[in-house]
Amino acid sequence: PEFPGAMRTRIASYALAGDLGRAQLARRDLEHAQPGLTLSWVDQNADMTDEPRRRIIEGLRLAGLPE
C-alpha cells in the first residue's frame, strides 16, 4: 500500500531537485491515494515542524498540487 505522507515527501523531493516530470507523475498517484488533497490541508495537518513543512509545501506547489 501507498502511504500518503511518504508520497508527499517523495513528490516534494523530486520537485525540489528539479525533476518536475517525475514529481508530476508521482502527484497523480497521490491524488488517487488522497483525493482532494490541497496545500492548505498539508499545511494544517502535516505532523512535522515548520521548516520541513514549508519545504514539503514548496515542493508540492512546484509539482502542481492545488492551493
Side-chain angles (χ1 to χ4, degrees), residues 44-58:
Q44 294 172 7
N45 295 285
D47 185 22
M48 58 185 69
T49 59
D50 290 341
E51 182 60 19
R53 180 178 22 257
R54 185 189 67 75
R55 295 289 291 164
I56 294 290
I57 290 171
E58 178 184 351

